[in-house]
Amino acid sequence: NLLAVPSISEIIMVELDPAMIQLAKTNKTLLQYNHRSLFHPKVRLIVDDAFRWVQGTQEKFDLIIVDFPAPKNLTLSRLFSAEFYSRMFQLVNPNGFVAIQAGPSYSYEDPTFNTLSEVTTCIKKTINSIGHPAYPYVTPRDHEAFVLSPADRNFDMKQFAKTVGIYGQTGIGMLCTYDADWKEPSVDVNTLSTLRLSTYMLDWFKKAGKPFFYYHGSHAIFLPD
């Protein structure tokens, strides 16, 4: 999808597992879905641990997309830490953005879907703790949350959401929506010394069901590892 944007000059993808890259480049079914994008000259593949890679790189980016597995253990939770986010923002250009996959969107305690989950709220407040704004948005169909964090501290998310049509759940808002009035539960910040996010994620899984469950019929999650 990013390759469809002509103004994007380069995409750097950091992947831990070389077998996943090999699978995506050779499996016939996956090649139909990814349109052979990993062979595109604009794409640069790096096999490394993302936590380690951001510490050493001097690259600068207009957009960093963070898409990790659910932080269900301490190892994964460090990829959502204040220390990791702080380093990422050193790599973002002044008008750039960080977009983060932020787990299940809504709290199980609020059936009206007006309260964000502890997972999403923890990620938001962790970013806030290092001095950056963070704006959760969700996909209503499968209740996945994401967080958009601009490098520009004066960025007007509400106006932006209205401009692109994701403020409210009509039109494109049925696929992706932002609401400035979502309630937030009380949570701790996720740091390398606390790694509280894994606790919130495991608590959410316990409330959701068994070690294996379907999530709105769109995909499945398996626990434990």
Side-chain angles (χ1 to χ4, degrees), residues 81-169:
S81 64
E83 292 85 350
F84 182 73
Y85 292 150
S86 181
R87 176 56 185 158
M88 278 201 309
F89 274 103
Q90 295 175 18
L91 309 179
V92 179
N93 288 322
N95 292 321
F97 295 87
V98 175
I100 301 169
Q101 196 280 346
S105 55
Y106 297 121
S107 168
Y108 262 88
E109 282 70 32
D110 184 357
T112 66
F113 301 134
N114 288 315
T115 304
L116 295 173
S117 73
E118 290 180 330
V119 177
T120 303
T121 305
C122 178
I123 292 171
K124 174 185 181 294
K125 292 192 174 181
T126 298
I127 296 172
N128 293 156
S129 75
I130 60 172
H132 289 276
Y135 304 101
Y137 59 100
V138 308
T139 52
R141 180 180 176 184
D142 57 13
H143 291 191
E144 280 289 310
F146 304 84
V147 169
L148 183 67
S149 185
D152 179 5
R153 290 173 171 82
N154 296 316
F155 181 78
D156 189 337
M157 180 64 181
K158 187 173 182 178
Q159 183 56 50
F160 171 77
K162 290 181 177 179
T163 300
V164 300
I166 64 169
Y167 197 79
Q169 294 191 27

